[in-house]
Amino acid sequence: MYPLNKSFLLAIIVIIIALVALGLYVYMISQTKPTQRILIVGTSPDFPPFEYIDEQGNIVGFDIDMMKELAKMMDYDDIEIVSIDFEGLIPALQQGQIDVIAAGMTITDERKQQVDFTIPYWEADQAILVIKGGDFQPESPDDLVGKVVGVQTGTTAESYLTDLVENQGYDITIKSYSSYVLAVTDLVNGRIDAVMVDLPVAKMFEKQYNVQISGIVETGEKYGLAVRKGNTELLNKLNDALTQLMQSDKWDQLVQKYFGQG
């Protein structure tokens, strides 16, 4: 029997090492999960039916379902919902804690200086909420003079009433809350006289609490999604997806689900 050639042995060793390395590589690849693309969405879940907490403790609502659809259309694997008090949403966005705000946020000139808004996806006016069947039934802001009115901090309702008080001389006591749920709870318990809140949300509170809408203030507000100033890539993708979604049957289904109208 002839001795094996050293070159032949070396070739065999190299092949074995290569096969082992390939096996390890294949194993590592099989154990590695693909990186998921997650869109981080900030919201304030006290604004039904746009965002609220259900009986199971989950954050749900029109805005949440809308964002899930938009994320899929933009090839994200999923969304992560971050609960933040309304007044803290813009700072959280600016600090990079979230990618987008979906919180029934009205597009205003002041906010445009801090964030970039998508095209509008909803229109709303303000409503005055009072105790159902009570003696106080204000129909306009003029009827709120001498009264205590609850609002949520950082909202357009707060800005609207503040303007009436500071610039137009209205004698209205404004009481600001971290959430509208707390404001409506104080209204029901007789601690304040009225609450000013966006009309679609006021309609939802009518179904949940012993309150009613006594007057509507036509403000013609428009809701938009917000991204960090200068984040044009995400803004353009959201606008494209939002335009497509609002023209689809899925949009009509979402509106029907949360507002009972097509």
Side-chain angles (χ1 to χ4, degrees), residues 141-158:
D142 292 343
D143 300 324
L144 299 176
V145 172
K147 303 296 182 179
V148 181
V149 183
V151 294
Q152 180 169 314
T153 304
T155 60
T156 47
E158 183 183 53

Side-chain angles (χ1 to χ4, degrees), residues 181-203:
V181 173
L182 295 177
V184 173
T185 300
D186 265 9
L187 174 62
V188 171
N189 291 328
R191 298 190 184 99
I192 58 178
D193 300 302
V195 169
M196 182 171 281
V197 60
D198 298 44
L199 182 57
V201 181
K203 289 180 178 178

